Amino acid sequence: MTAEPIIRVDKVAQHFGARTIFRDVSFAVNSGEVFVILGGSGSGKSTLMKQLIGLLTPSTGRIEIFGRAITGPDGEASLHDVQRRIGVMFQSGALFGSMSLLENVMLPLEMFTDLPPEGREAVARVKLGLVGLGDSAALMPAEISGGMARRAGIARAMALDPPLLLLDEPSAGLDPITSVGLDRLILELRQDLGATFVVVTHELASILAIADRCIMLDRAAYPDAGGVIASGEPRVLRDTSTHPTVRAFFRRELPVAA
């Protein structure tokens, strides 16, 4: 029997006043896969991510995570429990500048567990070790590179051992070598921890390197709103899609009207 998807999104839309970011967005994420939300700048990728973690309520539609609806009349009651099982890395790592890397990773443990200080520190050091920062625990965010900040953000996202990790633009603005290292880290963590990853990105090399499946958002998908214009395995979309925007994205070309 096929396992139920860990995430179900059904006909979700997001409006800000008279402006519609996207509509009719539907997809499912299976347990243990790396699922990528891709698209150009302004297509709604980060907006959709905020919906998935409960920071933004969809204007219409339904979202289920771990089989529980986080939208609709009963959504608020489920959201808190679901959020405890999700780890999030926000753009650029979003570390607290006044805290060391160790203190940043310990923060979720202080907020959501009853572990004593020595226990929280031990767990945080393990998480930093998993992302290759075991010797950098005492450093402050201002003392590290952008790639190290993203790794520290992933370590903090893993602090509570969540089965679902959501990463927002993990490799944006990084040099190619650092980006490759992050891609490998994501795949290693998926293999070692068995976690499910949802990754928001527009970095083509990373998409092809890590994604099992993806959806592509486009703000011009409809006359008055964006939406999903493609879904499936990235290499299949690259090689077979006839949609001009999809072809242009995967081939790094200017789109040609169909």
Side-chain angles (χ1 to χ4, degrees):
M1 181 180 295
T2 303
E4 284 294 309
I6 199 168
I7 297 175
R8 286 186 183 274
V9 176
D10 185 34
K11 296 183 178 179
V12 161
Q14 188 62 55
H15 312 295
F16 295 112
R19 182 183 176 214
T20 299
I21 306 302
F22 51 69
R23 68 183 187 188
D24 295 331
V25 171
S26 299
F27 62 91
V29 179
N30 299 316
S31 179
E33 73 176 340
V34 178
F35 187 91
V36 171
I37 301 169
L38 61 94
S41 298
S43 60
K45 302 185 302 296
S46 292
T47 298
L48 181 55
M49 175 75 86
K50 291 176 183 177
Q51 292 178 340
L52 293 176
I53 60 180
L55 293 181
L56 188 62
T57 301
S59 301
T60 59
R62 179 181 177 87
I63 298 175
E64 292 183 5
I65 302 180
F66 305 122
R68 302 182 66 178
I70 63 169
T71 55
D74 301 323
E76 187 173 349
S78 300
L79 181 58
H80 179 71
D81 292 337
V82 168
Q83 286 175 327
R84 292 284 299 273
R85 302 176 64 194
I86 298 175
V88 182
M89 191 216 78
F90 296 98
Q91 289 187 22
S92 302
L95 302 175
F96 291 98
S98 61
M99 298 179 176
S100 68
L101 300 191
L102 181 65
E103 291 168 334
N104 266 280
V105 179
M106 287 175 62
L107 187 60
L109 299 163
E110 294 173 3
M111 296 176 63
F112 297 112
T113 76
D114 296 323
L115 288 172
E118 60 272 17
R120 297 196 297 266
E121 179 175 340
V123 171
R125 288 188 181 278
V126 168
K127 304 306 180 185
L128 286 169
L130 287 173
V131 300
L133 294 177
D135 296 329
S136 304
L139 295 180
M140 304 298 288
E143 300 175 308
I144 63 176
S145 67
M148 292 173 70
R150 310 298 170 83
R151 287 174 177 266
I154 294 173
R156 185 175 61 189
M158 297 191 303
L160 298 175
D161 294 321
L164 175 61
L165 288 155
L166 282 70
L167 312 182
D168 194 359
E169 300 284 7
S171 57
L174 300 178
D175 66 85
I177 294 175
T178 303
S179 296
V180 167
L182 276 173
D183 292 342
R184 289 179 179 174
L185 173 64
I186 290 168
L187 294 176
E188 288 169 359
L189 292 174
R190 188 265 297 270
Q191 179 176 334
D192 294 343
L193 305 178
T196 303
F197 283 83
V198 176
V199 182
V200 166
T201 186
H202 60 260
E203 300 289 335
L204 181 56
S206 291
I207 294 163
L208 295 173
I210 67 174
D212 295 308
R213 293 187 302 120
C214 66
I215 58 169
M216 183 172 183
L217 301 178
D218 181 38
R219 59 186 173 185
Y222 302 100
D224 60 347
V228 176
I229 59 171
S231 63
E233 298 178 21
R235 285 180 173 79
V236 174
L237 296 179
R238 178 194 61 189
D239 297 339
T240 66
S241 178
T242 59
H243 192 290
T245 303
V246 178
R247 287 174 59 88
F249 183 93
F250 280 103
R251 300 183 185 193
R252 299 190 67 189
E253 301 171 345
L254 292 174
V256 178

